[in-house]
Amino acid sequence: IEESEARTRAEGEETCVARITSELEAVEISQKGLRQEARDAQSRCEQVAGAQEGQLESQLQERDDAVAALRRELSESHGQQERSEALAQRLEAEVSAQSTLAS
């Protein structure tokens, strides 16, 4: 009887070990799948981040170009204003000189 009980216990332990081993293998397979999904998700995130970075760099370059163009226009406008003021002063001086000659 003891031998029979020992055999039954041993068979039960073997069944338990087999079941636990099978569950562990299933968990390992699941972990491998999850790791692959994580790597895939990280790769997609990096691709999106790279694309967004490229778009931002492009937008910043466009903004920098627009600022440079506005600065050139402002500089040209300032130069034109100075020339206009100088011309106005010369005209005023000529009108004043002609008025003096006429009188």
Side-chain angles (χ1 to χ4, degrees):
I1 295 175
E2 288 180 20
E3 198 175 302
S4 175
E5 288 176 359
R7 212 174 318 137
T8 303
R9 211 173 333 167
E11 288 172 358
E13 288 174 1
E14 286 176 15
T15 302
C16 184
V17 167
R19 184 177 43 82
I20 291 172
T21 301
S22 175
E23 289 176 6
L24 285 174
E25 289 172 352
V27 168
E28 288 175 0
I29 291 169
S30 176
Q31 285 178 337
K32 287 179 184 176
L34 291 173
R35 282 190 207 107
Q36 184 60 48
E37 286 179 27
R39 282 192 295 271
D40 293 347
Q42 181 178 0
S43 176
R44 286 191 302 274
C45 286
E46 289 171 355
Q47 289 173 348
V48 168
Q52 288 176 341
E53 184 178 356
Q55 288 175 340
L56 287 174
E57 287 176 359
S58 176
Q59 290 172 348
L60 286 173
Q61 185 60 50
E62 288 175 10
R63 188 210 60 185
D64 289 347
D65 293 346
V67 167
L70 288 172
R71 285 186 176 148
R72 281 192 301 274
E73 287 180 31
L74 181 60
S75 177
E76 290 170 6
S77 175
H78 185 67
Q80 289 174 350
Q81 183 180 355
E82 288 176 345
R83 286 190 293 277
S84 294
E85 289 173 0
L87 283 173
Q89 288 174 356
R90 274 191 249 146
L91 282 172
E92 194 176 300
E94 282 184 37
V95 167
S96 177
Q98 288 180 2
S99 294
T100 304
L101 288 175
S103 41

